[in-house]
Amino acid sequence: DVKVTQSSRYLVKRTGEKVFLECVQDMDHENMFWYRQDPGLGLRLIYFSYDVKMKEKGDIPEGYSVSREKKERFSLILESASTNQTSMYLCASTKDRVRTGELFFGEGSRLTVL
Amino acid sequence: GNSVTQMEGPVTLSEEAFLTINCTYTATGYPSLFWYVQYPGEGLQLLLKATKADDKGSNKGFEATYRKETTSFHLEKGSVQVSDSAVYFCALSDLANQAGTALIFGKGTTLSVSS
């Protein structure tokens, strides 16, 4: 079975802390994504990557960075967490371009910044 | 730019009722269209998809038809069950994106079905 694993389901951090959210997929997918999900706003794309060491900004990249050193792993980094980054973060991957392919999602990481 | 608009929720139904969740889109070109479902405490999973005009996607009793003339992809089910309670997201593939790999999601519609 296809699997996307996010390292932490729940995190609580303090303002100003550096936060790492890890995502690993076991499907040999080229494309990986980070979305954040907020009530009333749906899912918004933060960053995505279509190859190792490649990254592209999504709609809301400010305050975030990413790292893709290996094909199976895509990390989201909050350099200095702020309270407005309290959210649910969803990682996803796909092999094909999503015109025909399917995105596979992890279970999400709920981050609270105090 | 490309966008997806879906009906506001929450939608509350009794078991065996008919369900419609409206979704309309704005896009250049010919995007693929998707419905994703998120059950409580889980990530999103693909429910159904359609890749060209007049295609009908179907799965688990749900259906949606890609209507180019009305730019719509409404989700329907003839008889809902309590287990269908979830958040439903309409999405389209963002062809404006260079890598052609990102999805644009609607805001989600919460469905609650009672017995």
Side-chain angles (χ1 to χ4, degrees):
Chain A
D1 262 359
V2 158
K3 196 150 181 71
V4 177
T5 303
Q6 294 184 229
S7 56
S8 304
R9 291 295 302 273
Y10 301 94
L11 303 94
V12 179
K13 299 291 181 181
R14 299 255 176 225
T15 301
E17 279 193 77
K18 190 169 186 175
V19 181
F20 292 88
L21 300 179
E22 305 284 342
C23 175
V24 177
Q25 50 94 3
D26 64 0
M27 298 161 284
D28 200 36
H29 285 173
E30 282 79 18
N31 309 299
M32 297 188 74
F33 308 81
W34 277 106
Y35 286 88
R36 66 176 279 177
Q37 181 181 9
D38 299 289
L41 297 177
L43 274 71
R44 294 178 290 166
L45 183 64
I46 305 172
Y47 267 97
F48 66 95
S49 168
Y50 52 89
D51 202 352
V52 175
K53 296 191 184 295
M54 304 300 291
K55 60 184 179 183
E56 293 283 344
K57 293 179 179 180
D59 299 318
I60 52 164
E62 296 78 19
Y64 304 94
S65 62
V66 290
S67 173
R68 185 124 182 246
E69 296 295 320
K70 293 185 178 181
K71 190 175 185 179
E72 67 272 16
R73 187 179 298 270
F74 192 37
S75 303
L76 180 69
I77 303 156
L78 288 66
E79 294 288 342
S80 178
S82 62
T83 54
N84 63 11
Q85 292 178 311
T86 292
S87 186
M88 171 70 87
Y89 291 88
L90 296 173
C91 176
S93 72
T94 186
K95 185 166 187 64
D96 302 315
R97 294 186 171 207
V98 293
R99 181 170 181 80
T100 55
E102 171 184 351
L103 249 61
F104 294 89
F105 282 86
E107 293 183 323
S109 298
R110 184 167 293 283
L111 172 66
T112 301
V113 183
L114 303 175
Chain B
N2 297 344
S3 66
V4 174
T5 303
Q6 60 182 107
M7 63 187 285
E8 298 280 332
V11 174
T12 304
L13 295 173
S14 298
E15 210 165 21
E16 299 183 3
F18 184 85
L19 169 71
T20 300
I21 300 177
N22 290 337
C23 172
T24 58
Y25 67 90
T26 302
T28 52
Y30 302 94
S32 294
L33 300 174
F34 305 83
W35 277 100
Y36 278 78
V37 60
Q38 185 180 34
Y39 298 104
E42 298 182 11
L44 278 72
Q45 55 186 275
L46 179 66
L47 181 59
L48 53 83
K49 68 179 182 183
T51 57
K52 60 183 188 297
D54 300 325
D55 266 3
K56 177 186 282 188
S58 61
N59 186 25
K60 299 182 181 181
F62 291 88
E63 292 183 340
T65 301
Y66 189 160
R67 302 278 189 205
K68 194 171 187 308
E69 64 276 13
T70 55
T71 63
S72 65
F73 192 55
H74 304 321
L75 182 68
E76 297 182 334
K77 187 175 186 183
S79 175
V80 294
Q81 305 300 313
V82 172
S83 57
D84 294 326
S85 298
V87 183
Y88 292 83
F89 293 90
C90 185
L92 63 80
S93 54
D94 185 6
L95 298 183
N97 172 280
Q98 278 192 349
T101 56
L103 286 182
I104 295 174
F105 286 86
K107 294 183 179 182
T109 302
T110 299
L111 170 66
S112 180
V113 180
S114 57
S115 58

